[in-house]
Amino acid sequence: MQILKVSAPGKIILSGEHAVVYGYPGLYAATSLRMNVTLTKSSSVLNSSYSKFAYKKAQQLFKVKEKNNYSFEIKSKIPIGSGMGSSASLAVCMSALAQKIGKNDFNLEEINKVAYEIEKKQHGKPSGGDNTIVTFGGYLWYRKESEKLKVFSKITPIKALPKLFIINSGIPEESTGEMVSLVREKYNKNPDEIADIFSQIETCSKALLKNILGEEKNDLGEIITFNQRLLEQLGVVSLETKNLISLLEKNGASVKISGAGGRIKGSGILLIYHKNPEKLKNFVNQQKLDIIPVSLGKKGVKFEK
Ligand code: PMV
């Protein structure tokens, strides 16, 4: 028997990944690809151990006691482990379900806080940006000032963003937590050099923000390419992905990874901008690469009828 159905979007990071872990800002968008979680009393539905863990953790954090043994049916269009926030979506869905069942409430701030704690169990030291965009949706400017103070603003682009394409360079072999630790090691060895890369990433994030707010007419392609070079300097992009990006760049595209990246083989999704979208589509078809169709700025977590 179906009791409740909740859905949450996948996300992309337009600019700021990795730097956001260290208190620099990040620019995020919720996508049209969603995860649906249906809570039932049927025991025929198989639960993943992670979904069970996440729900139990959420119940504990909401301080609710519940004797029913629920099952969860998960259907998702969000590519797994590729930088589109599938784990944050699951954490947010489980948090919203536990709050609804245990407290009959739908409070986004609380859902977000609890989802962040679930994400911490999964990833170690996340910035909290992923769960925040998945909870609130739309476009967000996000900054973690300290563990207890995380600030964000909803952004309303003044005009439709130019079309951005997404392709998958392959599921990274490393987890987000591993990629974050890798950058941490580099930071500990060379704090000044890595902090300098982070502040240049912040420059990209601000330029992109001003572009979408219509405050500055800067070149979107240039910002994306510069951001990508900085991520390469951080060591989060594999040789295979760099080669693919260089091929796309020769065709006139501007490309960056979006998310934690990967340095062994795949580096997750790529955000692509091209002044001539038809040319890009033809090229991508020729190369037998798949474009993941998404639109941006979509709704955050919500209950479904
Ligand atoms: O790859 P994802 O979707 O898990 O994105 C992680 C973004 C990082 O900045 C690398 C980590 C974080 O916690 O913000």
Side-chain angles (χ1 to χ4, degrees), residues 11 13 17-18 20-21 28 83-85 126-128 130 176 180 259-260:
K11 65 100 214 318
I13 302 180
E17 50 273 270
H18 287 291
V20 75
V21 174
Y28 294 75
M84 287 197 75
S127 62
D130 283 19
T176 296
V180 169

Side-chain angles (χ1 to χ4, degrees), residues 7 59 107 110 116 149 177 194 203 227 271:
S7 80
Q59 281 187 317
N107 176 323
E110 295 298 320
Y116 173 68
L149 180 66
I194 303 299
T203 305
N227 197 335
L271 279 191

Side-chain angles (χ1 to χ4, degrees), residues 68-176:
N68 281 316
N69 206 2
Y70 293 120
S71 295
F72 306 98
E73 191 185 14
I74 300 169
K75 287 194 178 145
S76 179
K77 293 242 156 63
I78 307 167
I80 292 171
S82 302
M84 287 197 75
S86 62
S87 84
S89 296
L90 186 65
V92 167
C93 284
M94 289 308 185
S95 172
L97 285 171
Q99 191 193 49
K100 189 67 155 182
I101 292 282
K103 302 177 92 176
N104 194 23
D105 200 0
F106 184 61
N107 176 323
L108 293 180
E109 269 83 28
E110 295 298 320
I111 291 171
N112 191 35
K113 268 190 201 155
V114 165
Y116 173 68
E117 295 302 320
I118 298 171
E119 282 275 273
K120 279 210 291 203
K121 293 282 162 199
Q122 174 85 337
H123 295 306
K125 283 195 176 138
S127 62
D130 283 19
N131 47 279
T132 306
I133 184 67
V134 166
T135 302
F136 292 93
Y139 294 90
L140 289 185
W141 181 255
Y142 175 87
R143 195 193 280 264
K144 179 181 184 178
E145 300 292 349
S146 77
E147 183 58 28
K148 286 191 185 140
L149 180 66
K150 305 179 200 79
V151 291
F152 64 89
S153 266
K154 276 218 167 206
I155 291 161
T156 312
I158 59 134
K159 52 181 171 48
L161 275 180
K163 179 97 186 118
L164 292 172
F165 293 90
I166 294 177
I167 64 171
N168 202 336
S169 72
I171 299 181
E173 291 187 13
E174 307 89 337
S175 66
T176 296

Side-chain angles (χ1 to χ4, degrees), residues 204-205 207-208 211 218-228:
C204 291
S205 304
L208 201 53
N211 183 303
N218 40 35
D219 188 319
L220 186 62
E222 260 176 36
I223 304 169
I224 291 176
T225 303
F226 185 47
N227 197 335
Q228 171 62 21

